[in-house]
C-alpha cells in the first residue's frame, strides 16, 4: 500500500495531528480536549454530568422520533419504489399468495415474524407458499452477519432444511427460535423433534457441511441484493412489499388483501391499523375500531402545506433526498420547494431566523393540522418553532452540518482540526467494529486509500455514546456511563484496541487488524491477539495501550463526535463534509477527489466496484447506531 507509515514516524505524526492547532488530524488540544490529565479528569467528572443529560435527551429524542418515525418511514418508502414492485394500493387479487420473507436467523424481530406467520400460513393450505431468504454480507471470500458467525451458520443450515425438507422446514425454524442463542447448534435436536426422517436429516447435514450450503447462501445474498433488502424482517406478498404490523392478525389481513374470498379470510377485520387503509391512495386512510368486528377504513382529504428547503448548491454533503422521501411518506399533502442559500429569499430567512447550518427544512404552520401531527405527538419532538408561520426540523434530524457563513465554516473547520488549501484532504472514517455494514465500507475504502496513497490523510474513529442506560446488550466502559455502546462491551473493547493499533502502527496496520477481526466479531475478546499478530503489531503494545492510554484516546474522540454530530456508523467525512451514498470504491474515490485543489492523476483512474458488496449500488448504505 502506498501510504504505509513507519511506526516511529507515524507516532510522531499522530502526536502532532492530535495536539498541533490547525494541523489536519484529530482536533487540537486547545480546541477539543485538554493536554493535562487533571483537566481531562475534571471534564470527565465535572462538566460531563451536565453534558450527559443533554446528550441523553438528544439520544432519547432521536430514538423515539428519528428512528421510529422518520427512519422507519424512509425504509418503507424506499421499499415501495424498488424497481419491479407495484404500490400496495394497486395490488391485484390472486388465487394464491407467494410470500418471500427476508431475515437473519438470530434476529429477534425476524424470529417473531416467522413465529407469527406459521399459524397464519397453516390456515391457507396450498393457497399460500413461503420462502425464507437470508440477509448476510460478503467479506473477502466469506460472509459476515450482524449477530456474528453463528448467525451465518444458522442461515446456512436453515437454507439447507428449506431445500431438503420443505414440508417440515418452518416447524424446524420455529423450534430453533425457542432458543435463539443456541442457533445453529440446536438444529439437530429440533429436526428430530419436528419429525424429520433420518434421510432428510442426513441430507441437511451434508448440505450444511459442504459446498451446497455455501451456494444456497450465495444465491440468497444475490436475491437480497437484487431487491435491495437490508432489514430483517422484510416481507413481500406476491412481489409487493408488506408494510403492516408484524403480528398474526396483521399478516392474515395482508394475505387476505391479495387472496380475496378465501374461507380463512371470512372473519378478518376490515383493518388492524391505519396502514391497512389504502383503497383511496390520494387520501389519508384511518382505521376506526381497529381489529374489531366493526373495524372500518375511513378516508380524509390530506392537508396541503409547503416545506421550504434551504440548501447550498455548492455543498457536496447536503443531500436532502432522504428527508424529502420520508416527509412524503408521513404527510400526504406535503409540497417541497428548494431555494438556494444565495437567493434573497434564503438570505432573508437566515437573517430572520438566525440560521447557521444547512440544509434547513421549514414546515408551514399547516403541518399542525395534519393527521400525522395530531395522531403522533412524539413526532413533534423533531421540530422547533421557527417563527409565527413556520416550524423548523431540528438539525439532528436533517443532519445539518454545513455552516452557512464563511466565518462559521472556517470556525467549524478549525474546531475539528481541518486546514483547507493544502491540497491534502483528510478522510475521517467513523466505525463501530462489530457492525457488519462497517466491514463493507472498510473493504470499499481500502482500494481508494491504496490508490491515493500519501496524497490524503485517513483517520479512523469510533462511536462512543454518552449517557446510555445499560440494558440488554448496551454496555459502558465506565461507571459514569460516558463511553457506552448499544452493541455491547466487546464492541467497546474492540474499538479501543483498534484505536491503539492505528495510533501505534498506522493506517495500514489498522486496515489489516480490522479485516482480521471481521472473522471473529462475536469473539473479538479472545482472537484480537492473533489479529494483531497478523497485522504485524505486537499484542503487548496493544494491551499496554488499552490499559494505560484508553482514557486519553476516548477523550480525544469525544469532541469530534460532538462537533460533527456523528451518531451512526459507517460514516465518512472528507474535510468535514459527510459522504452520503453507496459503499463502493468508485463512489468513495469520486467524493474524496472532489476535495483536492489540484487532483492527482490517480483520481482519473477508474476503480471497479468489484469488491463483493451486497449493497454497493444502493443509493444510501445502511448503518448501525442511532
Amino acid at each position: 500500500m502506498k501510504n504505509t507509515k513507519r511506526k516511529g514516524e507515524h507516532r510522531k505524526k499522530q502526536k502532532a495531528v492530535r495536539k498541533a492547532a490547525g494541523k489536519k488530524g484529530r482536533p487540537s488540544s486547545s480546541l477539543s480536549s485538554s493536554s493535562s490529565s487533571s483537566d481531562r479528569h475534571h471534564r470527565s467528572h465535572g462538566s460531563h454530568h451536565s453534558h450527559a443529560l443533554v446528550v441523553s435527551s438528544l439520544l432519547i429524542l432521536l430514538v423515539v422520533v428519528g428512528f421510529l418515525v422518520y427512519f422507519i418511514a424512509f425504509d418503507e418508502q424506499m421499499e415501495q419504489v424498488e424497481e419491479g414492485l407495484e404500490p400496495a394500493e394497486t395490488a391485484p387479487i390472486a388465487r394464491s399468495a407467494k410470500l418471500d420473507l427476508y431475515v437473519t436467523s438470530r434476529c429477534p424481530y425476524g424470529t417473531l415474524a416467522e413465529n407469527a406467520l406459521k399459524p397464519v400460513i397453516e390456515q391457507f393450505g396450498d393457497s399460500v407458499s413461503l420462502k425464507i431468504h437470508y440477509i448476510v454480507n460478503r467479506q473477502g471470500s466469506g460472509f459476515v452477519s450482524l449477530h456474528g458467525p453463528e448467525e451465518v451458520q444458522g442461515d446456512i443450515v436453515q437454507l439447507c432444511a428449506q431445500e431438503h425438507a420443505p414440508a417440515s422446514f418452518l416447524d424446524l425454524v420455529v423450534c430453533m427460535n425457542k432458543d435463539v442463542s443456541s442457533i445453529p447448534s440446536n438444529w439437530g435436536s429440533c429436526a428430530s423433534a419436528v419429525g424429520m426422517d433420518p434421510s432428510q436429516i442426513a441430507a441437511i447435514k451434508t448440505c450444511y457441511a459442504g459446498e451446497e450450503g455455501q451456494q444456497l447462501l450465495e444465491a440468497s445474498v444475490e436475491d437480497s441484493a437484487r431487491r435491495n433488502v437490508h432489514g430483517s424482517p422484510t416481507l413481500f406478498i406476491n412481489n409487493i412489499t408488506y408494510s403492516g404490523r408484524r403480528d398474526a392478525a396483521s399478516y392474515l389481513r395482508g394475505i387476505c388483501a391479495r387472496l380475496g374470498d378465501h374461507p380463512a379470510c371470512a372473519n378478518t377485520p376490515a383493518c388492524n391499523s391505519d396502514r391497512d387503509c389504502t383503497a383511496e391512495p390520494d387520501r389519508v386512510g384511518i382505521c376506526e375500531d381497529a381489529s374489531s368486528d366493526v373495524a372500518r377504513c375511513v378516508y380524509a382529504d390530506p392537508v396541503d402545506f409547503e416545506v421550504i428547503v434551504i440548501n447550498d448548491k455548492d455543498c457536496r454533503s447536503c443531500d436532502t433526498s432522504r428527508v424529502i422521501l420520508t416527509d412524503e411518506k408521513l404527510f400526504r399533502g406535503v409540497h417541497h420547494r428548494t431555494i438556494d442559500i444565495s437567493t434573497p429569499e434564503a438570505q432573508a430567512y437566515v437573517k430572520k431566523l438566525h440560521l447557521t447550518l444547512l440544509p434547513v427544512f421549514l414546515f408551514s404552520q399547516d403541518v399542525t393540522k395534519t393527521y400525522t401531527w395530531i395522531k403522533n405527538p412524539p413526532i413533534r419532538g423533531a421540530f422547533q418553532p421557527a417563527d409565527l408561520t413556520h416550524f423548523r426540523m431540528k438539525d439532528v434530524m436533517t443532519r445539518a452540518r454545513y455552516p452557512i457563513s464563511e466565518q462559521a465554516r472556517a470556525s467549524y473547520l478549525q474546531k475539528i482540526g481541518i486546514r483547507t488549501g493544502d491540497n491534502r484532504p483528510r478522510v475521517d472514517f467513523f466505525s463501530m467494529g462489530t457492525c457488519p455494514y462497517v466491514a463493507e465500507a472498510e473493504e470499499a475504502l481500502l482500494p481508494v486509500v491504496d490508490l491515493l496513497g500519501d496524497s490524503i490523510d485517513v483517520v479512523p474513529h469510533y462511536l462512543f455514546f454518552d449517557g446510555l442506560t445499560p440494558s440488554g446488550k448496551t454496555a459502558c466502559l465506565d461507571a459514569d456511563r460516558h463511553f457506552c455502546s448499544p452493541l455491547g462491551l466487546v464492541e467497546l473493547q474492540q474499538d479501543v484496541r483498534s484505536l491503539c493499533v492505528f495510533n501505534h502502527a498506522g493506517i495500514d496496520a489498522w486496515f489489516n487488524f480490522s479485516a482480521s477481526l471481521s472473522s471473529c466479531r462475536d469473539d473479538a475478546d479472545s482472537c484480537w491477539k492473533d489479529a494483531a499478530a497478523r497485522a504485524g503489531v505486537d499484542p503487548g503494545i496493544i494491551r499496554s495501550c488499552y490499559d494505560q492510554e484508553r482514557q486519553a484516546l476516548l477523550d480525544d474522540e469525544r469532541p469530534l463526535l460532538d462537533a460533527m454530530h456523528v451518531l451512526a456508523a459507517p460514516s465518512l467525512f472528507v474535510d468535514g463534509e459527510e459522504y452520503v451514498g453507496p459503499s463502493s470504491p468508485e463512489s468513495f474515490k469520486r467524493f474524496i477527489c472532489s476535495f483536492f485543489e489540484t487532483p492527482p492523476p490517480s483520481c482519473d483512474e477508474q476503480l471497479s466496484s468489484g469488491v463483493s458488496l451486497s449493497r454497493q449500488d444502493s443509493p444510501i448504505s445502511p448503518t448501525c447506531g442511532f
Side-chain angles (χ1 to χ4, degrees), residues 63-275:
V63 172
V64 173
V65 179
F67 181 74
L68 292 181
V69 180
Y70 266 91
F71 293 163
I72 289 179
F74 171 77
D75 287 339
E76 292 171 355
Q77 177 72 12
M78 290 304 293
E79 288 169 354
Q80 292 293 335
V81 300
E82 287 170 2
E83 183 176 358
L85 300 181
E86 299 180 68
E89 58 268 15
T90 64
I93 300 299
R95 294 180 179 273
S96 62
K98 175 178 176 290
L99 276 57
D100 290 281
L101 179 66
Y102 292 78
V103 298
T104 61
S105 58
R106 302 184 85 181
C107 170
Y109 308 112
T111 58
L112 287 174
E114 292 163 340
N115 295 345
L117 276 169
K118 182 178 181 294
V120 175
I121 292 171
E122 289 172 346
Q123 298 181 50
F124 290 93
D126 294 336
S127 298
V128 173
S129 63
L130 170 69
K131 183 174 182 179
I132 297 183
H133 311 260
Y134 294 86
I135 307 167
V136 295
N137 308 292
R138 295 187 184 96
Q139 176 69 32
S141 59
F143 302 93
V144 295
S145 190
L146 182 60
H147 302 98
E150 293 85 0
E151 183 165 69
V152 175
Q153 295 304 308
D155 298 347
I156 293 173
V157 76
Q158 291 183 4
L159 282 167
C160 289
Q162 185 169 232
E163 181 72 15
H164 292 282
S168 305
F169 162 65
L170 193 53
D171 292 328
L172 173 75
V173 170
V174 171
C175 175
M176 294 175 70
N177 290 346
K178 293 176 182 178
D179 186 6
V180 173
S181 64
S182 294
I183 295 174
S185 61
N186 60 355
W187 82 267
S189 59
C190 279
S192 299
V194 302
M196 288 186 182
D197 63 52
S199 63
Q200 290 177 318
I201 294 175
I204 294 170
K205 185 175 182 180
T206 300
C207 170
Y208 178 38
E211 185 64 26
E212 184 185 7
Q214 295 293 320
Q215 292 172 350
L216 290 172
L217 187 61
E218 178 67 31
S220 199
V221 169
E222 293 295 335
D223 192 66
S224 299
R226 178 181 62 83
R227 274 182 160 161
N228 193 26
V229 175
H230 55 76
S232 172
T234 297
L235 177 66
F236 296 90
I237 304 177
N238 288 350
N239 294 324
I240 298 164
T241 310
Y242 170 82
S243 59
R245 294 180 178 178
R246 296 163 184 163
D247 57 75
S250 298
Y251 284 138
L252 177 64
R253 241 202 126 272
I255 294 172
C256 287
R258 308 292 181 262
L259 287 182
D261 296 331
H262 192 282
C265 304
N267 299 316
T268 304
C271 58
N272 293 315
S273 69
D274 293 342
R275 291 182 179 182

Side-chain angles (χ1 to χ4, degrees), residues 589-618:
K589 186 212 73 179
R590 284 198 298 263
F591 186 71
I592 294 170
C593 284
S594 71
F595 286 83
F596 284 102
E597 286 82 14
T598 305
S602 53
C603 283
D604 294 329
E605 184 174 331
Q606 181 78 17
L607 287 177
S608 70
S609 55
V611 178
S612 298
L613 302 175
S614 62
R615 282 175 293 277
Q616 63 188 9
D617 296 322
S618 301

